[in-house]
Amino acid sequence: MAKQVTGLSSLQSTPSVKSSLSGVFGARVRYTILDDKTEPTVFKEFGEWSSIGSLFFSKLNNPNPSKNFTTDNFAKPLFPNNKIFPLENEIVYILPLPNSNVQGDVNDVSFYYFQPVNIWNSVHHNAIPDPINGNSLPPSQQQDYEQTEAGAVRRVTDGGSEIDLGNTFVEKLDIKNLQPFEGDIFYEGRWGQSLRFGSTVNDSPILNPWSRTGDNGDPLTILRNSQYNDGKDAWIPQVEDINKQGSSVYMTSTQAIPIEVSSKSYSSYKLAPTKPKQFAGEQIILNSGRLLFNTKSDSILMSSKNSINLNAINDVNIDAPRTVIQSKTVKLGDRDAFESAILGDKFFADLSRLLKNLIELGMALPSVGNPSVAAASTTMMKAATQILNNIEKYKSKTTKIK
């Protein structure tokens, strides 16, 4: 079969189904094309890189345990910009729609699939055992599935599932759904990642940590990379906790986020800023085990209407070929520092002249004829000469002030 590509060149080469086949039907996923290595022959035959995300299925009303790779059970993702790649044994809906041959034949169609059906109401996976192979499941595992026929979340308690989910997908029994609140819109990954478009929700029967301030409907966005162990059963939904979960980004409007920061010292301020967990208003919070900011072609710019605070338990280090601080006042050591720094070059120039004058004076004093004066002048000349010889060593090689 010729390559399936995007464009007019593909009009005569797109796999299609008979135009008489119509209507939406349910199907079990048998294999999803994700790369060119797992099934290289199938990858090449069904369009190479244009086949990525496509799958092969068996109809629910005509189950087939084998992996058949034909145009009659081949389906592409329905949406071009929003894709959820199904696992083996998940259920999808298939529908026939026009393909790239539509300019030549408006009745020619191909199969397309929706995202997986929410069988178990689980963000992790929604695969269900194949009835043809159902006897291969142990009794304890079969009971796990039977418990959910009434609509409850699947409750696996024996440590795992023997259902085939693919080559690399490993089931994790602790992945939780996100707890919804009225008006929320979610996007959730299979491994505990989530994006919540939510809001302040006062007087909710389920509490959340961001609704202590503001009014109902004040917008909030939370991006979370992984969930945390809350000690509850895996089928009980979870509310985000910025102090326990993985890397996260919070964008607030009026909410106060109870974040526990690593360093809480603001002694450099006469009037300290509002503590992070007490601030209620518009802000963006980045929270992770480590933050890296890097630019490849230009600068990192930090601009603040008030102050910029660098707060660390140990050190604040700056490594750069040149460090420039332009400020009307620079306080070092303490916010109330009052001693003035010396302009080194000017000071040492004047000190050099004074030392030379002292040396000349010491050379002249012995002529007075007083032994005590002569001895003191010798000591003074030695000290002045030593300081004068070392004058350049007192100057900093790196720090310059104006």
Side-chain angles (χ1 to χ4, degrees):
M1 181 178 294
K3 296 179 181 179
Q4 179 184 348
V5 296
T6 302
L8 296 177
S9 61
S10 66
L11 292 180
Q12 303 301 323
S13 61
T14 305
S16 63
V17 297
K18 294 180 180 179
S19 59
S20 60
L21 297 177
S22 61
V24 179
F25 59 89
R28 180 181 301 277
V29 177
R30 292 301 182 189
Y31 173 69
T32 303
I33 302 176
L34 300 176
D35 55 63
D36 61 338
K37 303 292 192 303
T38 306
E39 293 283 354
T41 302
V42 175
F43 171 80
K44 184 175 182 180
E45 183 178 355
F46 282 85
E48 297 187 349
W49 295 110
S50 66
S51 70
I52 295 295
S54 301
L55 58 78
F56 295 90
F57 61 86
S58 64
K59 294 184 178 180
L60 291 181
N61 59 3
N62 185 23
N64 186 344
S66 62
K67 294 181 180 179
N68 294 326
F69 303 118
T70 71
T71 58
D72 291 333
N73 71 329
F74 175 82
K76 297 183 293 185
L78 178 61
F79 302 110
N81 304 109
N82 184 14
K83 299 176 182 177
I84 298 177
F85 300 110
L87 299 170
E88 293 185 28
N89 282 305
E90 286 191 314
I91 306 302
V92 295
Y93 275 106
I94 307 291
L95 69 163
L97 288 172
N99 56 38
S100 57
N101 290 331
V102 66
Q103 290 180 313
D105 183 357
V106 295
N107 295 314
D108 201 2
V109 296
S110 293
F111 284 135
Y112 299 85
Y113 70 89
F114 287 106
Q115 63 189 39
V117 178
N118 193 20
I119 296 289
W120 306 116
N121 194 28
S122 169
V123 297
H124 187 47
H125 81 77
N126 284 278
I128 188 170
D130 189 339
I132 294 180
N133 299 322
N135 293 332
S136 64
L137 291 176
S140 63
Q141 195 63 45
Q142 292 180 23
Q143 178 65 21
D144 287 327
Y145 288 99
E146 292 170 2
Q147 286 175 342
T148 64
E149 290 179 357
V153 177
R154 173 170 169 264
R155 302 182 178 185
V156 178
T157 57
D158 66 350
S161 168
E162 285 73 21
I163 187 172
D164 186 7
L165 300 172
N167 295 326
T168 62
F169 190 95
V170 177
E171 183 175 27
K172 292 188 175 182
L173 303 182
D174 58 349
I175 300 298
K176 296 172 171 286
N177 289 5
L178 200 59
Q179 172 65 49
F181 297 94
E182 289 184 3
D184 283 349
I185 295 177
F186 287 169
Y187 292 94
E188 297 182 76
R190 295 186 187 269
W191 307 107
Q193 315 98 314
S194 61
L195 174 59
R196 180 195 294 269
F197 294 103
S199 66
T200 296
V201 185
N202 293 314
D203 302 321
S204 172
I206 302 296
L207 300 178
N208 64 62
W210 58 80
S211 294
R212 297 177 293 118
T213 59
D215 300 320
N216 284 349
D218 291 343
L220 171 77
T221 302
I222 301 176
L223 175 62
R224 177 189 68 170
N225 188 55
S226 61
Q227 56 191 217
Y228 60 96
N229 183 6
D230 56 11
K232 300 179 181 179
D233 292 325
W235 50 85
I236 299 177
Q238 185 176 90
V239 179
E240 298 95 330
D241 187 323
I242 194 170
N243 297 309
K244 298 178 181 179
Q245 65 201 18
S247 300
S248 54
V249 179
Y250 281 60
M251 289 183 281
T252 70
S253 56
T254 62
Q255 299 82 9
I257 306 301
I259 183 173
E260 294 294 337
V261 295
S262 298
S263 182
K264 305 176 183 179
S265 174
Y266 300 98
S267 57
S268 62
Y269 288 85
K270 290 185 177 180
L271 180 61
T274 303
K275 294 181 179 180
K277 65 180 180 180
Q278 295 178 349
F279 180 84
E282 182 180 344
Q283 66 175 327
I284 296 177
I285 301 175
L286 304 176
N287 189 50
S288 184
R290 172 171 168 159
L291 296 178
L292 171 64
F293 297 90
N294 180 65
T295 62
K296 296 190 296 183
S297 60
D298 205 287
S299 306
I300 294 177
L301 304 178
M302 300 177 65
S303 177
S304 173
K305 187 175 181 180
N306 195 351
S307 65
I308 295 176
N309 176 261
L310 299 177
N311 208 316
I313 294 177
N314 293 320
D315 303 323
V316 175
N317 299 334
I318 299 175
D319 297 296
R322 188 167 63 108
T323 302
V324 179
I325 300 175
Q326 181 174 328
S327 177
K328 291 182 178 179
T329 303
V330 177
K331 299 280 189 176
L332 298 177
D334 188 83
R335 72 182 184 212
D336 296 321
F338 61 89
E339 292 284 350
S340 298
I342 295 176
L343 297 178
D345 291 338
K346 293 182 178 179
F347 172 77
F348 287 122
D350 291 342
L351 180 60
S352 296
R353 287 193 293 271
L354 176 61
L355 292 171
K356 291 177 181 179
N357 291 336
L358 289 176
I359 293 172
E360 292 177 358
L361 177 61
M363 295 175 62
L365 285 176
S367 61
V368 175
N370 188 320
S372 298
V373 173
S377 65
T378 301
T379 302
M380 180 184 67
M381 284 192 298
K382 287 182 179 180
T385 301
Q386 184 178 7
I387 295 174
L388 185 62
N389 291 336
N390 293 327
I391 200 74
E392 293 297 323
K393 296 181 180 179
Y394 297 129
K395 298 180 180 179
S396 171
K397 303 299 182 183
T398 59
T399 304
K400 306 295 181 183
I401 63 174
K402 180 179 180 181

